[in-house]
Amino acid sequence: MIRFTRTAAAALLACSLALPAALATAAPATAAPDTAFATAPLATRAALPAPTGPHSIGSTVLPLVDRSRTDPWVPSADGRELMVTLHYPAARHGGGRPAPYATPEETRMLTESLGTGAAVPADALARMRTHSRTDARPAPGRHPLVLLSPGFGGARWTVTHLAEELASRGYVVASVDHAYEAYGAAFPGGRTLTCVACTALDDGGATGSLVTSTRAADMRFVLDRLTGPRPAWRHAGVIDARRVGMAGHSIGGASAATAMAADPRIDAGVNMDGSFWEELPAEGLRGRPFMMLGTHDGTHLPGGTDASWDRTWSRLDGWKRWVTVAGAEHLSFSDYPVIQDQFGLPGPDLPAARAVAVTRTYVTAFFDRHLRGLPRPILDGPSSANPEVHLQHR
């Protein structure tokens, strides 16, 4: 139901893990896939790019349920369920097994929904090699926390390369699956929840603002459970609750602004190529920093078709940046460029390695500057190392 267009509900839904138009044309779900895609050789097991920071990485999964709220998509559910993967700096010899990327059922539901057919075998995608170890012992010290929210339709594992990079550089990262907002997301009891919200937005008259306000409440609950008096994670003492940021892809990025407006504990935020679905209040974000990182095209350049970026920019009242990336497409800020590259799919003009490097570089620099007080001149002007990147406003 999601297409690589921006019409009707697709103005929201296209800001999700959508199938690129080139592949949709070449290999529709109802036809045999193009053999150029279907038979692309996989000489080795697919792998995420290695993180560049000095720390080893641990990961753990936390199922959380907020029973004080009714789920907006399935009111009969027992509260609002969330699945959280924590990536964190690990002790160098902290033990643990290699962390999985996703479950085969999650990847099967995603690839079937996107119509990739045999081009991306679900089992092979689920086996994508990560660089973290399950339940490894955390590195000593206290670390800033970054909340991470995926695009609509995509599960939390679709932003893993960024989560691992941040963790390797000393951050605890909480990537969140919001129940019923992904094509397939594994929850306790052998359940894989589907995208009920997709139908609600496409056919039921629900609005994008319901998604962003719901995710803002989700993140408030995650913060409560990670930094409150009875934390859900036994190693929560390594989190520095005085230094909290949030980033997200697509509507996850728009939700970062909504969450910051609602929760003063979130000190800094990044929106990666998402349309804003709620107006910021008159007081903006009360002086807190925010960065918009998007495509260098008619959508997210100043005066572009996504007018929400111009409106939001004028309301941001603290340190702010509007950064665009030439050659990028909407999905360039997620794991999807890696998937395209590893499985031989056609991609945008910006190569996968550059998409990963630019996303990691600018998001990490932003949080380094605003959660750690480190000088990051790359945020202040053009960079010869990143010629694709343009700072529209400073």
Side-chain angles (χ1 to χ4, degrees), residues 21-39:
L23 182 56
T25 301
T30 56
D34 189 304
T35 56
F37 304 142
T39 62

Side-chain angles (χ1 to χ4, degrees), residues 247-293:
H249 175 235
S250 193
I251 204 165
S255 300
T258 302
M260 287 182 69
D263 195 328
R265 294 175 296 178
I266 304 175
D267 301 300
V270 179
N271 176 3
M272 297 183 291
D273 210 55
S275 298
F276 293 95
W277 288 87
E278 296 182 80
E279 301 289 338
L280 289 180
E283 65 271 23
L285 296 177
R286 298 182 290 278
R288 287 168 292 168
F290 198 87
M291 182 170 72
M292 305 188 311
L293 175 64

Side-chain angles (χ1 to χ4, degrees), residues 2-393:
I2 294 181
R3 297 292 183 266
F4 201 69
T5 60
R6 296 175 184 257
T7 58
L12 170 65
L13 299 179
C15 293
S16 68
L17 194 62
L19 178 64
L23 182 56
T25 301
T30 56
D34 189 304
T35 56
F37 304 142
T39 62
L42 293 176
T44 59
R45 178 182 172 192
L48 292 173
T52 66
H55 293 280
S56 300
I57 307 166
S59 72
T60 194
V61 176
L62 296 176
L64 301 176
V65 184
D66 182 0
R67 291 191 169 87
S68 71
R69 290 189 289 150
T70 299
D71 190 288
W73 314 117
V74 180
S76 60
D78 184 16
R80 175 67 173 166
E81 290 188 88
L82 306 170
M83 289 295 288
V84 179
T85 293
L86 293 174
H87 290 93
Y88 53 88
R92 192 157 298 278
H93 301 291
R97 300 184 307 277
Y101 185 55
T103 70
E105 182 68 1
E106 287 176 308
T107 56
R108 181 190 66 78
M109 295 176 94
L110 178 68
T111 56
E112 285 186 358
S113 296
L114 299 184
T116 55
V120 184
D123 286 349
L125 180 57
R127 293 194 302 271
M128 176 91 76
R129 186 166 62 85
T130 69
H131 300 275
S132 46
R133 300 188 72 82
T134 301
D135 296 324
R137 188 173 72 256
R142 291 172 64 80
H143 309 284
L145 172 66
V146 174
L147 306 171
L148 199 54
S149 185
F152 192 75
R156 68 191 189 279
W157 49 268
T158 62
V159 287
T160 300
H161 90 71
L162 178 58
E164 290 194 330
E165 176 70 12
L166 287 165
S168 80
R169 292 183 170 273
Y171 294 87
V172 176
V173 184
S175 304
V176 180
D177 263 336
H178 310 270
Y180 304 108
E181 295 180 20
Y183 288 123
F187 277 71
R191 298 170 298 145
T192 302
L193 304 186
T194 59
C195 193
V196 177
C198 292
T199 302
L201 271 76
D202 202 34
D203 303 321
T207 64
S209 61
L210 178 57
V211 180
T212 52
S213 61
T214 297
R215 290 195 179 193
D218 291 346
M219 292 309 196
R220 176 184 291 273
F221 181 69
V222 170
L223 266 178
D224 290 344
R225 298 298 289 124
L226 289 178
T227 65
R230 291 184 293 175
W233 184 36
R234 65 190 181 101
H235 297 299
V238 304
I239 295 173
D240 185 348
R242 300 167 300 174
R243 297 183 290 167
V244 177
M246 180 173 169
H249 175 235
S250 193
I251 204 165
S255 300
T258 302
M260 287 182 69
D263 195 328
R265 294 175 296 178
I266 304 175
D267 301 300
V270 179
N271 176 3
M272 297 183 291
D273 210 55
S275 298
F276 293 95
W277 288 87
E278 296 182 80
E279 301 289 338
L280 289 180
E283 65 271 23
L285 296 177
R286 298 182 290 278
R288 287 168 292 168
F290 198 87
M291 182 170 72
M292 305 188 311
L293 175 64
T295 54
H296 187 77
D297 58 18
T299 300
H300 282 146
L301 283 170
T305 56
D306 184 356
S308 71
W309 277 42
D310 290 283
R311 291 196 306 270
T312 301
W313 179 258
S314 67
R315 288 284 183 96
L316 295 172
D317 59 326
W319 186 102
K320 57 185 179 179
R321 291 291 184 273
W322 183 329
V323 182
T324 58
V325 184
E329 293 181 347
H330 181 63
L331 301 176
S332 296
F333 306 96
S334 68
D335 283 3
Y336 201 76
V338 180
I339 297 171
Q340 288 174 314
D341 183 63
Q342 297 277 312
F343 291 90
L345 305 182
D349 292 339
L350 184 68
R354 292 302 302 153
V356 168
V358 166
T359 301
R360 287 175 165 185
T361 296
Y362 282 82
V363 173
T364 302
F366 174 83
F367 287 125
D368 281 351
R369 183 167 187 163
H370 297 293
L371 298 185
R372 300 176 122 158
L374 299 175
R376 290 295 182 259
I378 199 170
L379 298 171
D380 296 326
S383 163
S384 59
N386 300 283
E388 312 92 340
V389 177
H390 303 266
L391 273 65
Q392 300 302 325
H393 297 291

